[in-house]
Amino acid sequence: MASPLPCRPKLRLLCVGVALAFLLAVGVGRADIYKDIQIIWSADHTYYFMDGDSEALALSLDFNRGSAFKSNDMYLFARIDLDIKLVEGNSAGTVCTVYTISEGPWDIHDEIDLEFLGNSTGEPYTLHTNVFAYGVGGREQQFKLWFDPSAEYHTYSIVWNPRRITIEVDGVTIRSFDNNEDQGVPFPSWQQQRVYGSLWNADDWATQGGRVKTDWSLAPFVSYYRNYNITYCRPSPGVSWCGAEPAGSPLFNLSPKARADLQWVRNMGYVIYDYCTDMSNRYTATSRPKECSLPPRP
């Protein structure tokens, strides 16, 4: 299929203008979890507090409802860093999230997901990731983490630039989704996205395929967020914005460390599901998504 690139010449100037307007309006650097987000579900289930020197936000979930926030601003290419401490103990059925999503028509929406699927006490969390581009999703990769994410805060990052989307955990790159629009693969390259975080119940599917349900006698469940930080994508000197970075520029190349990280998480068995290799339940050798057979970008 042809590349569904809405930001073609007739819209390119609009994309540049939007990006420059945001850069001039808000600059580049640190956001503030108190000033720069708003609660959108259940304000009475959330609270801000000082956690050491950091302003933190607690989201809670009980039988009646969960809670969520969204960023005040929207972004087109940025790095999003957020410290999260997940629900302790038996978190089966709960889902804690940080994700970005566009706000245009749903059938062409873009989205970058990190969902932490709870589990029974003593069992590891599953980090479920997905990318939607131009309404097309189904690009799931799942990970188990090399630490207990409920014991203390850890930093989770979405790094979104015109070359690729990478996901990092404590600075370790665990996933890279390349921009292969020139090969007909959709990529989020023109729609601004807003940051969301939430805690909600999904015991019909979240834990062991829905076999383990939420134990409501343990409610309320609480997850914590702090150090919300946004860094806008910076182009090379003389380039107007990141979307205009020349195709051959090395600016967005994966670093040797990032490539080593990606290999390390696979070698250690931390990748527990990859849609590209699901040849038993989902795809055949000829029906896999196109990006699964393309070589990695620099």
Side-chain angles (χ1 to χ4, degrees), residues 250-268:
L251 180 64
F252 304 125
N253 286 2
L254 276 180
S255 69
K257 177 187 179 303
R259 293 190 182 280
D261 289 346
L262 291 168
Q263 190 61 53
W264 177 77
V265 296
R266 290 188 177 274
N267 290 346
M268 297 298 293

Side-chain angles (χ1 to χ4, degrees), residues 55-189:
E55 187 88 35
L57 172 66
L59 298 184
S60 66
L61 165 70
D62 63 21
F63 182 76
N64 295 308
R65 59 193 184 279
S67 49
F69 66 84
K70 69 177 182 179
S71 63
N72 293 328
D73 294 325
M74 300 183 72
Y75 311 100
L76 181 59
F77 304 135
R79 179 186 180 102
I80 299 122
D81 298 297
L82 191 58
D83 294 353
I84 306 174
K85 182 180 178 184
L86 300 179
V87 174
E88 294 182 85
N90 185 352
S91 58
T94 69
V95 177
C96 177
T97 74
V98 58
Y99 62 98
T100 65
I101 191 168
S102 62
E103 294 186 347
W106 181 255
D107 60 344
I108 60 167
H109 87 284
D110 297 334
E111 185 174 348
I112 307 167
D113 291 334
L114 278 70
E115 298 180 320
F116 300 89
L117 312 184
N119 216 328
S120 303
T121 302
E123 296 295 321
Y125 268 87
T126 296
L127 171 52
H128 176 95
T129 69
N130 201 355
V131 176
F132 287 78
Y134 210 68
V136 179
R139 299 181 171 96
E140 303 94 342
Q141 286 186 3
Q142 293 184 340
F143 304 84
K144 65 178 181 180
L145 300 171
W146 50 95
F147 53 82
D148 178 358
S150 68
E152 57 186 355
Y153 287 97
H154 292 270
T155 304
Y156 304 93
S157 306
I158 296 169
V159 185
W160 173 32
N161 62 52
R163 179 76 57 82
R164 59 175 46 86
I165 294 162
T166 57
I167 295 172
E168 299 178 6
V169 177
D170 289 339
V172 175
T173 302
I174 65 168
R175 179 173 186 179
S176 177
F177 181 79
D178 290 349
N179 183 346
N180 285 300
E181 284 183 311
D182 59 349
Q183 300 295 316
V185 179
F187 183 85
S189 61

Side-chain angles (χ1 to χ4, degrees), residues 182-221:
D182 59 349
Q183 300 295 316
V185 179
F187 183 85
S189 61
W190 67 282
Q191 298 187 90
Q192 302 165 59
Q193 298 190 50
R194 197 179 301 277
V195 180
Y196 285 77
S198 62
L199 179 62
W200 52 291
N201 178 55
D203 67 2
D204 57 330
W205 65 270
T207 304
Q208 299 179 33
R211 292 187 296 275
V212 182
K213 302 299 183 181
T214 305
D215 183 352
W216 292 111
S217 70
L218 302 174
F221 303 97

